[in-house]
Amino acid sequence: MTLTADLAATTALDLGPARALSCRECGHRTALAAEFACPHCFGPLEVAYEFTGITRDSIEAGPKSIWRYRHLLPVPGDVQSHPNTEPGLTRLIEADRLAAALGVRKLWVKDDTGNPTHSFKDRVVAVALAAARELGFTVLCCPSTGNLANAVAAAAARAGWDSVVLIPSSLEKAKILTTAVYGGTLLAVDGTYDDVNRLATELAADHEDWAFVNVNVRPYYAEGSKTLGYEVAEQLGWRLPEQIVVPVASGSQLTKVDKGFTEFATLGLVEPTPYRVFGAQATGCSPVAKAFEDGHDVVTPVRPDTIARSLAIGNPADGPYVLDVVRRTGGAIGHVSDEEVVEGIRLLARTEGVFAETAGGVTVATAKKLLEAGALDPDAETVLLITGDGLKTLDAVTDRVGPTATVPSTSKAVREALAQHG
Ligand SMILES: *Cc1c(COP(=O)(O)O)cnc(C)c1O
Ligand SMILES: [Zn+2]
């Protein structure tokens, strides 16, 4: 598919290598703008690019953040000159102890708890903010299950923008506080995430200077997830993993990790070696896993009921595309109970010293289940995406972990306790 510059030339926008928006369903191309649905078929729009002069050296010479990939993202050439959160380049750790516990030969954990607001959402929001500024917006907004709220409120604060964040009022207290602290307007809505999302779409239509990162600027926002794929490949020493396990909420992240791998291979930055993409959901919100199991192309919406609230999207916009990627690459989608999620959190913490939020528990526990089911190959090199910090969902482990013993302040009591538990 060759791109002409005509469409981009019709606007004075500088969105770097981005040239047009292209419909994922019918392929119709439209000019770069704050649009998210195809004018012909209402299919989702995606950014189409023309990449030039990208080498391993040029990337390695870049900043230690997602902006090292700025020439692969829909952001202006001078993106670094505006205040933003500079997420990315988080640790990829060799998880030998977790590998042993799971019975896998070689395993890595991509630890995205290290981002500025402790989840992978800082990646997508940083890209959305940069694109939104160029598109003429002045207020940063979102409906959120929590992590996005943190990231939007923080990025807006850093940029000096107003923010409007809508959350379900049932959200974990920690996620409410960690959004409110950045200032901005925070509306707690008595409803589900899907209700909040619908309200955001209505508000976006009414306020032309409000960028709802995952609604009216969604095509740009979504591209931020590619950086997870880029980093995994770069940090593995410029090669693709054989298997990767990705948590699924709307499904955007999973499809963009695949897009990132494909772009790197197409640009000759890595060998085009085969890889398999696996999805992870909580049983209490597993519409994509269900469609996968049933062999369906259509994802039937569900009403979420799980402790993994950051993944609790009952009507996932990218569900069908997740199914495409997983089937095309020979992966699978698994799901795990809330009990298994907590076990997954604890296993990762005690083997690797990484405390993940419930979404991380979903990824670890699903990997375990997919290994037991023979879907994941224990001999293939595998990466797990750990996308959020455990301090965000302390409730999940509150009654499960605590002091080994509580003792009087005498050395005798301490020695006895150590003898008993050591
Ligand atoms: C949002 C989120 C995801 C997945 O997001 P998608 O909507 O599927 O792109 C994964 N993990 C965490 C912690 C999240 O907050
Ligand atoms: Zn279309």
Side-chain angles (χ1 to χ4, degrees), residues 4 21 33 75 77 105 123 125 147 160 200 204 243 268 312 314 322 333 341 352 354 363 372 378 402:
T4 60
L21 294 175
V75 297
R105 196 171 56 77
R123 297 174 182 273
V125 169
N147 288 328
Q243 305 185 122
V322 167
I333 311 176
V341 171
E352 298 298 340
V354 174
T363 301
E372 286 160 4

Side-chain angles (χ1 to χ4, degrees), residues 240-283:
L240 302 179
E242 293 173 283
Q243 305 185 122
I244 186 162
V245 186
V246 187
V248 172
S250 74
S252 175
Q253 178 183 139
L254 185 144
T255 65
K256 297 299 177 174
V257 165
D258 170 63
K259 189 178 184 188
F261 285 170
T262 305
E263 286 174 350
F264 262 28
T266 306
L267 290 166
L269 297 170
V270 296
E271 288 297 316
T273 51
Y275 58 86
R276 300 198 291 154
V277 182
F278 294 81
Q281 295 205 295
T283 304

Side-chain angles (χ1 to χ4, degrees), residues 76-91:
D78 68 346
V79 64
Q80 290 160 272
S81 62
H82 297 285
N84 204 321
T85 51
E86 286 92 38
L89 225 64
T90 55
R91 310 187 294 168

Side-chain angles (χ1 to χ4, degrees), residues 8-23:
T10 61
T11 74
L13 290 175
D14 173 9
L15 289 170
R19 287 293 171 270
L21 294 175
S22 140
C23 174

